[in-house]
Amino acid sequence: MRSRTAVAALLLAAVIPIGPPATAGTTVKTGAAGTAATIAYAKLAPDWQLVLTDGRKVNVPQAFVKAPADAVNSGYPVPFVISEDGRHFFYYRRSDGLLVERMLGGGERVVSRRITVDNVGEEWPMVSADGSYVITRTSAPGLGVFVDLRTGKTAGPPEKDDTWAVAGFSPDQQRLLLAKERELVVFDRGLRARKRLKSSLEPWALANDHVTAAVPVCKKDRCRGLRLLDLRTGRATAPVTVRLPSGRYIDDLNFDRAGRVIVRTATRTKITFYRASAKTGKVKKLRTVTRVKGRVLPGDDRL
């Protein structure tokens, strides 16, 4: 699964004065109406620290930074993950090495006892945009554990097959598109198959209608084109060239809740989001987010 990022509020943190440090157990409010602050990004300082959209900082000393001496890959950097909505954060806690989930002002909740720091470097957690579902990728390659945090249920790969690749969740988080061996399958959150299609196309995103998928058109790993695939009929629209600036390519595709295609293109220093027409390729720039070494952005596990 490619990473997902929705961090327009990140830009606010650069201009709002930073107040006194908070702890992860503190309820953080901001704004005249008491609107809850969300997470702009996390950074190492030298332990993990959250920077909120109102500029305040939240220290997370409970989180591992590097794998302990008795782990498979001792000293390996340990993931710290923020959901795309900026409301949930995930880390491996020092006390027992388990992956836990937290919200600002909330306590720790173990994701699954099958996901531990001992396997860091051999498996990687992926989190849905709303922070309610966790999937582990493995170095096999393949997928390991599927955890629905709404129900507390943990399962292995669907249909007892660990060779799936993840295209992603629909924006409503109710369906998951997986692919393997020229087959595309839409699963519900309980990993029950809802749609199947034999296809050589490799979608990167699923729309809220649970039928439309976005497929990149690439040459030599450089993606500039786009087409839509109907998962009921197998029909795909004609490819169009996405009109990105010269030298920029599609790094990720997604849908918004209205079914419009969102294109993400990234460089070493910034991520830019565009709304793209699947008919004409015309784009509208939505926002740009600065990438800084040592920071983790919501929904982006590649930093």
Side-chain angles (χ1 to χ4, degrees), residues 244-296:
L244 294 172
S246 178
R248 305 296 291 274
Y249 301 93
I250 299 170
D251 289 295
D252 198 12
L253 291 172
N254 209 337
F255 287 96
D256 63 15
R257 290 186 174 273
R260 297 169 295 195
V261 179
I262 306 299
V263 172
R264 185 181 81 164
T265 179
T267 67
R268 186 178 58 82
T269 58
K270 64 182 178 180
I271 303 171
T272 305
F273 297 83
Y274 297 88
R275 183 183 301 135
S277 168
K279 293 182 178 179
T280 66
K282 185 178 179 179
V283 300
K284 178 182 179 180
K285 185 177 179 180
L286 300 176
R287 63 188 182 277
T288 296
V289 178
T290 302
R291 306 176 90 174
V292 177
K293 185 177 180 181
R295 289 185 183 178
V296 174

Side-chain angles (χ1 to χ4, degrees), residues 24 57 71 105 115 123 140 169 194 197 222 268:
K57 297 179 179 180
I115 308 176
E123 64 182 24
F169 275 93
R194 297 297 187 177
L197 177 68
R222 290 185 171 184
R268 186 178 58 82

Side-chain angles (χ1 to χ4, degrees), residues 42-252:
K43 65 177 181 178
L44 287 171
D47 290 328
W48 284 110
Q49 184 180 74
L50 303 175
V51 177
L52 308 185
T53 50
D54 65 357
R56 280 182 284 181
K57 297 179 179 180
V58 176
N59 298 316
V60 191
Q62 305 93 333
F64 270 115
V65 173
K66 294 184 178 181
D70 57 353
V72 172
N73 294 307
S74 176
Y76 197 90
V78 174
F80 190 101
V81 182
I82 306 167
S83 61
E84 186 179 303
D85 63 10
R87 299 183 182 278
H88 304 256
F89 56 105
F90 298 75
Y91 58 88
Y92 292 84
R93 65 184 177 192
R94 295 178 186 270
S95 61
D96 57 11
L98 295 177
L99 180 67
V100 297
E101 175 267 347
R102 293 185 82 165
M103 295 183 69
L104 294 172
E108 295 175 330
R109 176 168 57 163
V110 174
V111 174
S112 170
R113 292 190 174 277
R114 295 166 60 182
I115 308 176
T116 74
V117 74
D118 294 339
N119 294 323
V120 163
E122 302 295 323
E123 64 182 24
W124 301 265
M126 300 180 294
V127 176
S128 63
D130 66 353
S132 70
Y133 210 99
V134 176
I135 304 171
T136 56
R137 291 176 296 181
T138 70
S139 58
L143 303 176
V145 179
F146 288 66
V147 186
D148 188 340
L149 292 172
R150 292 182 186 174
T151 64
K153 292 184 178 180
T154 298
E159 302 177 354
K160 298 181 179 180
D161 190 331
D162 65 357
T163 63
W164 296 102
V166 181
F169 275 93
S170 53
D172 63 10
Q173 312 297 300
Q174 297 305 307
R175 294 291 186 268
L176 174 65
L177 180 59
L178 301 182
K180 67 168 184 175
E181 299 174 353
R182 300 170 68 88
E183 182 179 31
L184 304 171
V185 183
V186 177
F187 290 95
D188 63 19
R189 293 175 66 95
L191 302 182
R192 294 176 290 266
R194 297 297 187 177
K195 293 181 184 69
R196 291 183 183 272
L197 177 68
K198 291 288 185 181
S199 177
S200 60
L201 297 178
E202 299 180 0
W204 282 7
L206 178 66
N208 260 353
D209 62 7
H210 307 157
V211 170
T212 306
V215 182
V217 178
C218 311
K219 292 183 179 179
K220 297 181 179 179
D221 295 327
R222 290 185 171 184
C223 304
R224 291 275 296 188
L226 167 68
R227 62 196 310 191
L228 299 182
L229 173 65
D230 188 317
L231 296 170
R232 289 174 301 193
T233 65
R235 296 175 182 172
T237 60
V240 298
T241 299
V242 180
R243 301 178 193 176
L244 294 172
S246 178
R248 305 296 291 274
Y249 301 93
I250 299 170
D251 289 295
D252 198 12

